Amino acid sequence: MSSTNPELRQQVVSIYKQLLYLGRDYPQGYNYFRPRIHRAFMANASLTDEAEIRQAIARAQFVQKD
């Protein structure tokens, strides 16, 4: 994602940080939550198409709302 839109990168980093913050209150604990969020984001780290990145951001925002 290093060669893509810097605005998208900032959005991805922001949603990641927000989810980590919400994970502090996760019922099973932060130590359970953090590796799963990290793994989910790393699974999408190779995305280069802006449309696919935007879809991944939308999925993360959906998770954040639940």
Side-chain angles (χ1 to χ4, degrees), residues 15 19 22 33 37 56-66:
I15 193 78
L19 287 170
L22 290 174
F33 185 80
I37 289 296
I57 291 170
R59 281 193 306 269
Q61 288 171 337
F62 178 77
V63 168
Q64 180 184 18
K65 291 178 184 177
D66 277 351

Side-chain angles (χ1 to χ4, degrees), residues 1 12-13 15-17 19-20 26 32-47 52-53 55-61 63-64:
M1 198 165 112
V12 169
V13 171
I15 193 78
Y16 182 74
K17 287 181 179 181
L19 287 170
L20 285 178
Y26 194 70
Y32 174 86
F33 185 80
R34 188 203 172 275
R36 282 157 180 75
I37 289 296
H38 181 74
R39 205 171 16 248
F41 274 75
M42 291 307 293
N44 291 313
S46 63
L47 295 179
E52 290 177 354
I53 295 170
Q55 286 178 334
I57 291 170
R59 281 193 306 269
Q61 288 171 337
V63 168
Q64 180 184 18

